Amino acid sequence: MDINFAQIFISLIVLLFSLTIHETAHAWTADRLGDPTARLLGRISLNPLVHIDPVGTVLFPLIAAVSGVPLIGWAKPVPVSVRQLRHPRRDYVLVAAAGPASNLVLALVASVALRLVTVAPVTLGEPNVSAPIASFLVQLKLINVLLAVFNMIPIPPLDGGNVLAGLLPRQLMPAFNSIRPYGFLLLYVLMFTGRLSYLVRPPAYFIYSWLP
């Protein structure tokens, strides 16, 4: 199997940066909506070390990278005290949606930047800064679209599951929350059976095609 380790390394750096922005967006939004829990724990931070999850930020992306599935992952969840939010059900949805929204903003910024970068031809023995920058921006654009779509899958504890939990009628909440402990197990089953790609790729590439 031909594995481009340099490309995997760049992709993992982009993923770590994107997940840091994602979790910071959750924490900042919760703080603005009345819950200071994440801020008091130092989670409104661009330091990736405070957000890293050993499985979601390291193991899962590595498996995805070498197995050819979309490079996706997650960071350590931001703690949210729903009772401290000014409008608990509505604000919980907004906090959950803030992460994927930040990824779409990053993808848009990368897309616009790509239009502004002039890529010079690669010549052997001559330095070329524009090509690596363009490669980084391409990865930033693609990975953030993938992250936004992946995190909006309505499986708890992904953001999509939390958004759905905030929108469901109250009488359905206990049944929905009963599957929460098995969410990551379901994600692993989807990944290793190849079904995760079918869920993520079509909407991701549709969004990607609409970016400038």
Side-chain angles (χ1 to χ4, degrees):
M1 183 168 56
D2 185 20
I3 300 176
N4 188 332
F5 288 101
Q7 191 62 45
I8 289 176
F9 176 76
I10 292 173
S11 298
L12 290 175
I13 293 298
V14 170
L15 179 66
L16 180 59
F17 169 74
S18 303
L19 289 174
T20 298
I21 298 296
H22 179 107
E23 296 304 325
T24 300
H26 283 313
W28 181 83
T29 304
D31 187 55
R32 296 288 294 178
L33 295 176
D35 175 26
T37 305
R39 173 172 57 81
L40 295 175
L41 292 173
R43 296 299 301 276
I44 304 181
S45 172
L46 296 180
N47 177 6
L49 296 179
V50 305
H51 302 293
I52 286 178
D53 177 86
V55 175
T57 316
V58 181
L59 180 60
F60 193 91
L62 280 174
I63 294 173
V66 300
S67 60
V69 302
L71 186 61
I72 46 185
W74 60 88
K76 188 165 55 176
V78 165
V80 178
S81 177
V82 178
R83 281 183 286 186
Q84 294 195 67
L85 296 171
R86 285 187 282 272
H87 305 281
R89 281 176 63 83
R90 185 205 68 182
D91 291 351
Y92 187 59
V93 170
L94 294 176
V95 171
S102 72
N103 292 129
L104 290 177
V105 170
L106 279 176
L108 179 59
V109 170
S111 187
V112 172
L114 274 169
R115 296 293 298 270
L116 302 176
V117 172
T118 301
V119 182
V122 177
T123 304
L124 187 64
E126 293 185 6
N128 188 320
V129 177
S130 61
I133 291 175
S135 177
F136 176 85
L137 291 173
V138 167
Q139 289 296 312
L140 187 65
K141 179 181 176 181
L142 178 59
I143 287 174
N144 275 280
V145 171
L146 290 171
L147 280 176
V149 173
F150 169 69
N151 277 283
M152 286 307 293
I153 294 175
I155 298 175
L158 293 179
D159 297 324
N162 292 329
V163 168
L164 181 58
L167 297 175
L168 283 174
R170 294 184 187 276
Q171 60 268 28
L172 297 179
M173 289 288 293
F176 184 74
N177 284 330
S178 67
I179 69 172
R180 189 173 291 273
Y182 310 103
F184 283 130
L185 178 61
L186 180 56
L187 287 173
Y188 280 118
V189 171
L190 289 172
M191 184 179 76
F192 286 113
T193 58
R195 295 294 182 263
L196 189 60
S197 291
Y198 290 109
L199 289 175
V200 173
R201 287 186 190 274
Y205 286 124
F206 175 77
I207 295 171
Y208 191 91
S209 69
W210 277 88
L211 291 172

